């Protein structure tokens, strides 16, 4: 899939503001901590945290969870995301690239909805410390400058919090 995500897609939204889709990948086959996206943290399943950040940002129009797992899909729907289809098995493997499943998810969702998006936000399910204003700021930067192809927020960390430790 050498194609850039969103390549060849023109602005189709008739309003002044861009149409924004948030895609949150949540594969069911985690090796480090099985079913990690369903584990509860402070009363919510892990998958609910990025959905909530996208909602609170008020910068996205639609939230799509890309998953290969019905249980994760159900939790995502309960948290307010759309999951109209499961991710194909060939896009849910250990070595599947981010570009492969994001591109497939975006194309399938645009076909499902019948229109294209101007901006695609990618939020990982395992980053629960994301501030909604970071999402809004990244969308604003992209919306205000069509010459910028991508924007991201990052925070340095040295520990993999999602690896199961021996009891």
């Amino acid at each position: 899939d050498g194609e850039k995500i969103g390549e060849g897609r023109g602005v189709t939204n008739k309003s002044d503001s861009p149409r924004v889709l948030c895609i949150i990948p949540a594969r069911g086959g985690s090796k480090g901590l099985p079913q990690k996206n369903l584990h509860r943290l402070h009363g919510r399943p892990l998958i609910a945290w990025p959905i909530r950040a996208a909602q609170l940002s008020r910068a996205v129009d639609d939230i799509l969870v890309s998953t290969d797992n019905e249980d994760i899909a159900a939790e995502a729907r309960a948290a307010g995301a759309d999951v109209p289809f499961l991710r194909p098995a060939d896009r849910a493997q250990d070595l599947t690239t981010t570009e492969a499943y994001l591109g497939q998810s975006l194309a399938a969702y645009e076909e499902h909805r019948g229109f294209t998006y101007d901006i695609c936000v990618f939020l990982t399910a395992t980053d629960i410390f994301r501030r909604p204003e970071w999402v809004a700021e990244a969308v604003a930067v992209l919306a205000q400058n069509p010459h910028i192809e991508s924007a991201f927020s990052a925070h340095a960390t040295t520990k993999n919090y999602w690896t199961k430790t021996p009891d």
Side-chain angles (χ1 to χ4, degrees):
D1 291 337
E3 177 183 354
K4 283 189 208 172
I5 296 169
E7 185 175 294
R9 292 172 167 79
V11 174
T12 60
N13 189 359
K14 302 297 184 221
S15 73
D16 288 338
S17 60
R19 189 173 284 146
V20 181
L21 173 64
C22 175
I23 300 176
I24 303 167
R27 197 167 61 94
S30 172
K31 300 287 189 282
L33 183 59
Q35 299 293 330
K36 70 181 169 199
N37 294 300
L38 298 174
H39 285 260
R40 298 187 91 67
L41 185 62
H42 200 42
R44 290 189 184 134
L46 189 61
I47 188 60
W49 289 93
I51 294 168
R52 184 81 173 133
Q55 291 166 333
L56 291 174
S57 77
R58 299 190 184 283
V60 301
D61 298 305
D62 298 302
I63 302 167
L64 169 67
V65 169
S66 173
T67 186
D68 59 334
N69 182 284
E70 276 294 349
D71 294 331
I72 294 171
E75 287 287 356
R77 289 181 192 112
D82 195 10
V83 191
F85 47 79
L86 292 181
R87 188 186 318 171
D90 68 327
R91 300 297 167 110
Q93 303 300 310
D94 288 345
L95 299 178
T96 302
T97 66
T98 301
E99 294 81 8
Y101 66 74
L102 280 179
Q104 180 276 328
S105 297
L106 176 60
Y109 196 66
E110 286 180 334
E111 184 175 328
H112 169 76
R113 294 298 305 265
F115 54 80
T116 59
Y117 288 87
D118 305 305
I119 295 174
C120 182
V121 175
F122 163 53
L123 299 182
T124 56
T126 55
D127 183 355
I128 63 164
F129 302 110
R130 178 185 297 108
R131 294 183 181 189
E133 55 268 22
W134 296 344
V135 176
E137 184 178 332
V139 169
V141 165
L142 292 168
Q144 291 169 8
N145 190 338
H147 300 295
I148 297 176
E149 290 184 356
S150 62
F152 70 94
S153 296
H155 176 75
T157 185
T158 57
K159 182 167 175 49
N160 183 353
Y161 296 98
W162 311 114
T163 301
K164 188 174 182 178
T165 56
D167 292 329

